[in-house]
Amino acid sequence: TKEAWRTYLSKHPNLRGASVTCPLKTLLMDEVDEKTPEVKKIGALNTLKIIPGDRGRILADNTDWKAVRDVMRFHLRESFPTLVIGTGGMARACLYALQTSCIPSYIVGRNQETMQDLQKQFGIQETFLWDDLSSIVTKYEPKNVLICVPMGAEIDLNVLGSDVYVFDMAYAEPYKKRTSVPDHCNYMDGREVLCIQARYQQEFWGH
């Protein structure tokens, strides 16, 4: 809660910022004092800045979407519609990056109501439930897939065709490919996004 933040900040007066990971990217939205325009549009945050001398005022930003945007410019086929798997904070950042880049998107998730809300917010072309992944692959033959679910999530990606670029926002140390991604797909995990968004965090913190 916000009061818990205040207590923690009072005990750590030198703290000036924090990096937020799932599932707190959406859960902390109501626990900050000020949000950047991007946070308001995305509906998720990943970076906090604490202003000293202002009763520990907490500002929130989202640097994930910028990193996804930058990586897409180098790796994804921007002229092709992109499939996003997941509906959490990272998926929101990906959808916003696609929207601002004018790239059509489709989404696969577990909750139809949540996906309908995202569809209205980000202009998603069509939504599919988790078990309907094969339907979207058959119908649209996506060439870009952004995975925004944890490594342990069970999802059958063997239905993906050849020459598909799979960009996994999750990562593991040491490096480990998601086992459900077939070998004929081009695969990249989320470490590059992690590094790029960290540079944007440094800018937000004023370093």
PDB file of all heavy atoms in Angstrom, residues 150-170:
ATOM      1  N   PRO A 150       4.978 -15.846 -18.186  1.00  0.00           N
ATOM      2  CA  PRO A 150       6.179 -16.420 -17.556  1.00  0.00           C
ATOM      3  C   PRO A 150       6.682 -17.662 -18.273  1.00  0.00           C
ATOM      4  O   PRO A 150       5.935 -18.336 -18.994  1.00  0.00           O
ATOM      5  CB  PRO A 150       5.704 -16.746 -16.134  1.00  0.00           C
ATOM      6  CG  PRO A 150       4.527 -15.859 -15.899  1.00  0.00           C
ATOM      7  CD  PRO A 150       3.859 -15.718 -17.231  1.00  0.00           C
ATOM      8  N   MET A 151       7.947 -17.975 -18.044  1.00  0.00           N
ATOM      9  CA  MET A 151       8.557 -19.145 -18.666  1.00  0.00           C
ATOM     10  C   MET A 151       7.792 -20.427 -18.342  1.00  0.00           C
ATOM     11  O   MET A 151       7.707 -21.334 -19.149  1.00  0.00           O
ATOM     12  CB  MET A 151      10.010 -19.285 -18.196  1.00  0.00           C
ATOM     13  CG  MET A 151      10.998 -18.446 -18.967  1.00  0.00           C
ATOM     14  SD  MET A 151      11.318 -19.143 -20.601  1.00  0.00           S
ATOM     15  CE  MET A 151      12.599 -18.043 -21.195  1.00  0.00           C
ATOM     16  N   GLY A 152       7.231 -20.505 -17.138  1.00  0.00           N
ATOM     17  CA  GLY A 152       6.563 -21.728 -16.723  1.00  0.00           C
ATOM     18  C   GLY A 152       5.156 -21.890 -17.251  1.00  0.00           C
ATOM     19  O   GLY A 152       4.533 -22.940 -17.042  1.00  0.00           O
ATOM     20  N   ALA A 153       4.627 -20.876 -17.929  1.00  0.00           N
ATOM     21  CA  ALA A 153       3.260 -20.968 -18.451  1.00  0.00           C
ATOM     22  C   ALA A 153       3.175 -22.019 -19.558  1.00  0.00           C
ATOM     23  O   ALA A 153       4.016 -22.056 -20.453  1.00  0.00           O
ATOM     24  CB  ALA A 153       2.814 -19.608 -18.972  1.00  0.00           C
ATOM     25  N   GLU A 154       2.150 -22.845 -19.484  1.00  0.00           N
ATOM     26  CA  GLU A 154       1.980 -23.893 -20.481  1.00  0.00           C
ATOM     27  C   GLU A 154       1.241 -23.346 -21.697  1.00  0.00           C
ATOM     28  O   GLU A 154       0.078 -22.969 -21.619  1.00  0.00           O
ATOM     29  CB  GLU A 154       1.206 -25.061 -19.880  1.00  0.00           C
ATOM     30  CG  GLU A 154       1.946 -25.775 -18.757  1.00  0.00           C
ATOM     31  CD  GLU A 154       1.180 -26.966 -18.254  1.00  0.00           C
ATOM     32  OE1 GLU A 154       0.121 -27.281 -18.836  1.00  0.00           O
ATOM     33  OE2 GLU A 154       1.634 -27.588 -17.279  1.00  0.00           O
ATOM     34  N   ILE A 155       1.918 -23.293 -22.817  1.00  0.00           N
ATOM     35  CA  ILE A 155       1.302 -22.841 -24.054  1.00  0.00           C
ATOM     36  C   ILE A 155       1.952 -23.580 -25.217  1.00  0.00           C
ATOM     37  O   ILE A 155       3.183 -23.641 -25.328  1.00  0.00           O
ATOM     38  CB  ILE A 155       1.436 -21.314 -24.231  1.00  0.00           C
ATOM     39  CG1 ILE A 155       0.769 -20.869 -25.528  1.00  0.00           C
ATOM     40  CG2 ILE A 155       2.875 -20.851 -24.141  1.00  0.00           C
ATOM     41  CD1 ILE A 155       0.586 -19.362 -25.624  1.00  0.00           C
ATOM     42  N   ASP A 156       1.131 -24.172 -26.050  1.00  0.00           N
ATOM     43  CA  ASP A 156       1.615 -24.985 -27.159  1.00  0.00           C
ATOM     44  C   ASP A 156       1.880 -24.099 -28.370  1.00  0.00           C
ATOM     45  O   ASP A 156       0.945 -23.617 -29.013  1.00  0.00           O
ATOM     46  CB  ASP A 156       0.590 -26.068 -27.497  1.00  0.00           C
ATOM     47  CG  ASP A 156       1.083 -27.006 -28.594  1.00  0.00           C
ATOM     48  OD1 ASP A 156       2.288 -26.927 -28.942  1.00  0.00           O
ATOM     49  OD2 ASP A 156       0.271 -27.799 -29.100  1.00  0.00           O
ATOM     50  N   LEU A 157       3.138 -23.883 -28.682  1.00  0.00           N
ATOM     51  CA  LEU A 157       3.516 -23.042 -29.816  1.00  0.00           C
ATOM     52  C   LEU A 157       3.937 -23.854 -31.031  1.00  0.00           C
ATOM     53  O   LEU A 157       4.396 -23.290 -32.021  1.00  0.00           O
ATOM     54  CB  LEU A 157       4.657 -22.107 -29.401  1.00  0.00           C
ATOM     55  CG  LEU A 157       4.320 -21.140 -28.263  1.00  0.00           C
ATOM     56  CD1 LEU A 157       5.561 -20.385 -27.821  1.00  0.00           C
ATOM     57  CD2 LEU A 157       3.238 -20.168 -28.697  1.00  0.00           C
ATOM     58  N   ASN A 158       3.762 -25.159 -30.968  1.00  0.00           N
ATOM     59  CA  ASN A 158       4.143 -26.008 -32.101  1.00  0.00           C
ATOM     60  C   ASN A 158       3.286 -25.764 -33.326  1.00  0.00           C
ATOM     61  O   ASN A 158       3.626 -26.211 -34.418  1.00  0.00           O
ATOM     62  CB  ASN A 158       4.064 -27.491 -31.698  1.00  0.00           C
ATOM     63  CG  ASN A 158       5.190 -27.878 -30.749  1.00  0.00           C
ATOM     64  OD1 ASN A 158       6.358 -27.651 -31.041  1.00  0.00           O
ATOM     65  ND2 ASN A 158       4.824 -28.439 -29.602  1.00  0.00           N
ATOM     66  N   VAL A 159       2.176 -25.050 -33.150  1.00  0.00           N
ATOM     67  CA  VAL A 159       1.306 -24.747 -34.289  1.00  0.00           C
ATOM     68  C   VAL A 159       1.883 -23.615 -35.149  1.00  0.00           C
ATOM     69  O   VAL A 159       1.404 -23.377 -36.261  1.00  0.00           O
ATOM     70  CB  VAL A 159      -0.104 -24.342 -33.813  1.00  0.00           C
ATOM     71  CG1 VAL A 159      -0.791 -25.516 -33.138  1.00  0.00           C
ATOM     72  CG2 VAL A 159      -0.043 -23.140 -32.876  1.00  0.00           C
ATOM     73  N   LEU A 160       2.899 -22.919 -34.649  1.00  0.00           N
ATOM     74  CA  LEU A 160       3.480 -21.831 -35.421  1.00  0.00           C
ATOM     75  C   LEU A 160       4.170 -22.361 -36.664  1.00  0.00           C
ATOM     76  O   LEU A 160       4.829 -23.409 -36.627  1.00  0.00           O
ATOM     77  CB  LEU A 160       4.483 -21.049 -34.568  1.00  0.00           C
ATOM     78  CG  LEU A 160       3.911 -20.301 -33.364  1.00  0.00           C
ATOM     79  CD1 LEU A 160       5.041 -19.642 -32.568  1.00  0.00           C
ATOM     80  CD2 LEU A 160       2.905 -19.246 -33.812  1.00  0.00           C
ATOM     81  N   GLY A 161       4.027 -21.615 -37.735  1.00  0.00           N
ATOM     82  CA  GLY A 161       4.644 -22.029 -38.985  1.00  0.00           C
ATOM     83  C   GLY A 161       6.127 -21.712 -39.035  1.00  0.00           C
ATOM     84  O   GLY A 161       6.724 -21.204 -38.071  1.00  0.00           O
ATOM     85  N   SER A 162       6.739 -22.008 -40.167  1.00  0.00           N
ATOM     86  CA  SER A 162       8.164 -21.739 -40.336  1.00  0.00           C
ATOM     87  C   SER A 162       8.391 -20.249 -40.576  1.00  0.00           C
ATOM     88  O   SER A 162       7.474 -19.514 -40.956  1.00  0.00           O
ATOM     89  CB  SER A 162       8.718 -22.557 -41.503  1.00  0.00           C
ATOM     90  OG  SER A 162       8.038 -22.228 -42.696  1.00  0.00           O
ATOM     91  N   ASP A 163       9.607 -19.811 -40.340  1.00  0.00           N
ATOM     92  CA  ASP A 163      10.005 -18.427 -40.569  1.00  0.00           C
ATOM     93  C   ASP A 163       9.182 -17.447 -39.735  1.00  0.00           C
ATOM     94  O   ASP A 163       8.848 -16.347 -40.189  1.00  0.00           O
ATOM     95  CB  ASP A 163       9.891 -18.076 -42.059  1.00  0.00           C
ATOM     96  CG  ASP A 163      10.661 -16.795 -42.395  1.00  0.00           C
ATOM     97  OD1 ASP A 163      11.658 -16.517 -41.711  1.00  0.00           O
ATOM     98  OD2 ASP A 163      10.246 -16.077 -43.314  1.00  0.00           O
ATOM     99  N   VAL A 164       8.831 -17.842 -38.513  1.00  0.00           N
ATOM    100  CA  VAL A 164       8.132 -16.960 -37.579  1.00  0.00           C
ATOM    101  C   VAL A 164       9.148 -16.414 -36.578  1.00  0.00           C
ATOM    102  O   VAL A 164       9.986 -17.158 -36.072  1.00  0.00           O
ATOM    103  CB  VAL A 164       7.006 -17.702 -36.836  1.00  0.00           C
ATOM    104  CG1 VAL A 164       6.380 -16.813 -35.764  1.00  0.00           C
ATOM    105  CG2 VAL A 164       5.951 -18.170 -37.820  1.00  0.00           C
ATOM    106  N   TYR A 165       9.081 -15.120 -36.322  1.00  0.00           N
ATOM    107  CA  TYR A 165       9.972 -14.521 -35.344  1.00  0.00           C
ATOM    108  C   TYR A 165       9.260 -14.493 -34.000  1.00  0.00           C
ATOM    109  O   TYR A 165       8.236 -13.831 -33.846  1.00  0.00           O
ATOM    110  CB  TYR A 165      10.373 -13.101 -35.755  1.00  0.00           C
ATOM    111  CG  TYR A 165      11.478 -12.558 -34.884  1.00  0.00           C
ATOM    112  CD1 TYR A 165      12.810 -12.702 -35.240  1.00  0.00           C
ATOM    113  CD2 TYR A 165      11.171 -11.924 -33.680  1.00  0.00           C
ATOM    114  CE1 TYR A 165      13.817 -12.224 -34.428  1.00  0.00           C
ATOM    115  CE2 TYR A 165      12.173 -11.456 -32.867  1.00  0.00           C
ATOM    116  CZ  TYR A 165      13.497 -11.602 -33.239  1.00  0.00           C
ATOM    117  OH  TYR A 165      14.488 -11.144 -32.420  1.00  0.00           O
ATOM    118  N   VAL A 166       9.793 -15.202 -33.028  1.00  0.00           N
ATOM    119  CA  VAL A 166       9.217 -15.281 -31.692  1.00  0.00           C
ATOM    120  C   VAL A 166      10.073 -14.461 -30.738  1.00  0.00           C
ATOM    121  O   VAL A 166      11.239 -14.780 -30.502  1.00  0.00           O
ATOM    122  CB  VAL A 166       9.127 -16.739 -31.199  1.00  0.00           C
ATOM    123  CG1 VAL A 166       8.568 -16.787 -29.773  1.00  0.00           C
ATOM    124  CG2 VAL A 166       8.266 -17.567 -32.145  1.00  0.00           C
ATOM    125  N   PHE A 167       9.485 -13.418 -30.195  1.00  0.00           N
ATOM    126  CA  PHE A 167      10.178 -12.538 -29.276  1.00  0.00           C
ATOM    127  C   PHE A 167       9.581 -12.754 -27.889  1.00  0.00           C
ATOM    128  O   PHE A 167       8.461 -12.350 -27.612  1.00  0.00           O
ATOM    129  CB  PHE A 167      10.011 -11.081 -29.726  1.00  0.00           C
ATOM    130  CG  PHE A 167      10.842 -10.107 -28.966  1.00  0.00           C
ATOM    131  CD1 PHE A 167      11.877 -10.518 -28.147  1.00  0.00           C
ATOM    132  CD2 PHE A 167      10.587  -8.755 -29.068  1.00  0.00           C
ATOM    133  CE1 PHE A 167      12.640  -9.612 -27.446  1.00  0.00           C
ATOM    134  CE2 PHE A 167      11.343  -7.826 -28.377  1.00  0.00           C
ATOM    135  CZ  PHE A 167      12.373  -8.266 -27.556  1.00  0.00           C
ATOM    136  N   ASP A 168      10.349 -13.402 -27.034  1.00  0.00           N
ATOM    137  CA  ASP A 168       9.897 -13.802 -25.699  1.00  0.00           C
ATOM    138  C   ASP A 168      10.319 -12.739 -24.686  1.00  0.00           C
ATOM    139  O   ASP A 168      11.500 -12.467 -24.520  1.00  0.00           O
ATOM    140  CB  ASP A 168      10.524 -15.149 -25.343  1.00  0.00           C
ATOM    141  CG  ASP A 168       9.830 -15.834 -24.183  1.00  0.00           C
ATOM    142  OD1 ASP A 168       9.115 -15.154 -23.430  1.00  0.00           O
ATOM    143  OD2 ASP A 168      10.004 -17.057 -24.049  1.00  0.00           O
ATOM    144  N   MET A 169       9.347 -12.110 -24.007  1.00  0.00           N
ATOM    145  CA  MET A 169       9.680 -11.082 -23.030  1.00  0.00           C
ATOM    146  C   MET A 169      10.259 -11.660 -21.747  1.00  0.00           C
ATOM    147  O   MET A 169      10.854 -10.945 -20.948  1.00  0.00           O
ATOM    148  CB  MET A 169       8.438 -10.249 -22.694  1.00  0.00           C
ATOM    149  CG  MET A 169       7.882  -9.496 -23.878  1.00  0.00           C
ATOM    150  SD  MET A 169       9.082  -8.347 -24.577  1.00  0.00           S
ATOM    151  CE  MET A 169       8.496  -8.281 -26.272  1.00  0.00           C
ATOM    152  N   ALA A 170      10.092 -12.959 -21.538  1.00  0.00           N
ATOM    153  CA  ALA A 170      10.689 -13.618 -20.381  1.00  0.00           C
ATOM    154  C   ALA A 170      12.126 -14.023 -20.711  1.00  0.00           C
ATOM    155  O   ALA A 170      12.541 -14.049 -21.871  1.00  0.00           O
ATOM    156  CB  ALA A 170       9.865 -14.838 -19.990  1.00  0.00           C
TER     157      ALA A 170
END
